[in-house]
Amino acid sequence: MAISKEELYPIIREIVLQELEERIPIHKEIVDLKSAIERLTFAQERTEKRIEELAEAQRKTEERLNALVEAQKRTEERLDALAEAQRKTEERLNALAEAQKRTEERLERLEKVVEGLIESQKKAEERLERLETIVESLIEAQRKTEEEIRELTLVVKNMQRQINGISKELGGLSHAVGFQLEDRAYRSLPSLLKRDFGIEVKERLVRKFIKNKRGENMEINILGKGERDGKEIYIVGEAKANLSIRHVVDFIDRLKDIKEVITGEIFPIVVTYMTEPEVEEFAKSKGISVYYSYDFEPIY
């Protein structure tokens, strides 16, 4: 079997060393030195290996220290957070304690209010009892009052019947007075209208009913045809014993209905026994002529 160079080299070296030892006397100290050097070399190798192990251990130690420092930092941060949370918790606890204190104060005030309400309720019940007594008295008084009212109603009805009889008599008298005023106006107005306004009365003035557009009868106290400046004109009048603003306003409203059924110019007048100056001025401002009973000729 062939031997390689690598295997052959140690064998040759050993043989050469043996030959040298046999041929050359080697001092024992040299041998000891060689042994020492070999031991030193071996120790150096172990030292370097140990240094490398220590370096690796140092690196790992530093990594662990860095990790510990980072962990310490995180721990400190958590501790700071916990301290802040503790501070806020203490603040909330203080706030809750203050709120509790205020709540207790409110409860004390509320208890006083409730006590006052209870006392007020008691007084209200007492007043209610007194009020019920008063109401019972009022009910009795009301019953008696109703009896008196029924008796008074009978009396009033009797008086009303008497008044109605008197009113009918007065109404008849009023109509008689009104009719008398109208009768006098029928005879005197033609000459007065001709004198004052140049109106020639062509038909006898009369009292008449006409229908408005709604088919309702309207009573006209004075109605007749006339002529002024060759133009046909209608004389429409109202007779009132004591002329008032209300009478004038009502007459103006009636004229609106009359104008819807009478075509042509309308000359409005009112005749009266008396009226106030402002009423006469108001009528004239609305285009209505006013005549008084003393303007008319007497009827014999």
Side-chain angles (χ1 to χ4, degrees), residues 277-288:
E278 54 268 23
V279 177
E280 181 179 357
E281 290 298 325
F282 175 70
K284 289 181 178 180
S285 70
K286 299 300 181 180
I288 301 171

Side-chain angles (χ1 to χ4, degrees), residues 224-236:
K225 287 184 181 182
E227 185 179 297
R228 180 169 60 182
D229 299 330
K231 184 178 179 181
E232 186 178 68
I233 193 169
Y234 285 89
I235 298 98
V236 178

